[in-house]
Amino acid sequence: IKEVLKMNETIKLLQNRRSVREFTGEKIKDEDLELILKTAQRAASSVNGQQISLIVVRDKDKLKKISELSHNQKHIEECDAFIFVLADFYRSTYAANSVGKRNVGPKTADGVVVGAVDAGIMVNAIETAVNALGYGMTVIGAIRSSLKEFSEMLELPQYVIPIVGAALGVPKDRPLSRLKPRVPFDSFVFFDKYDAKKVEEGVEEHEKDMVAWRNENNTSQLPSYKEMIVRIYENPHNKLVEALKSQGFDVLDEIEEK
């Protein structure tokens, strides 16, 4: 890997990505922000349906409100720009309706998954462009805890829902002992078939590594891997059904023939 990193700046950039939650307060250049957004628009989407839209917020009062609705994450209030990544089936529904046809995408389980997958692809493209220009970013999933409020704030029509957000800014210099660990490679990549035993062994090894990393960087307040999983998934974390339905989404597998 070291030899590849010497040769390929793109691989080096991706290998060294990290979430940034501390910003200097400096502004992102307008031309850089536009370049980030135009670059992200080239991201892949299912059937080239382009069922993703972005809303950018830079107003400080609005950033404070977004922070409050996202469990008071201070870095949202302190970032220079916040990007909402929206699953947008309004566009494709209009396209179908304009030729006298329907679009059942937002009413189906598959359509909801497509929207989430495409949003993930988009936020990765945004982050890669952000990092390439020397800025920093962290992905914000907590917006899903206030989907109804954000849908109203952003004046979203039916068939559009926020999936994830991104807080962007000029990063503070925050040296780390090493990048945050990942599960062992051989418990992440398999060939031909899944290996549950490897996954279990990888979890145990990763738990120890995360605790060591936490101690190295004086961040004992952060949860370990197991602690975070239990915190988020022991009980339902976000209640989304009502918010999804209020925006015209459903999770059906069968739709009555028209």
Side-chain angles (χ1 to χ4, degrees), residues 180-200:
K180 185 178 285 187
R182 295 294 188 254
V183 296
F185 187 70
D186 65 356
S187 73
F188 162 66
V189 175
F190 309 108
F191 293 93
D192 298 322
K193 63 180 181 179
Y194 191 84
D195 190 333
K197 183 64 174 175
K198 275 287 186 186
V199 169
E200 293 171 6

Side-chain angles (χ1 to χ4, degrees), residues 73-93:
Q73 296 187 55
K74 195 69 176 174
H75 42 278
I76 298 175
E77 187 176 345
E78 295 174 347
C79 75
D80 178 51
F82 189 89
I83 302 175
F84 285 93
V85 181
L86 313 172
D88 183 356
F89 282 90
Y90 181 87
R91 177 180 292 112
S92 57
T93 297

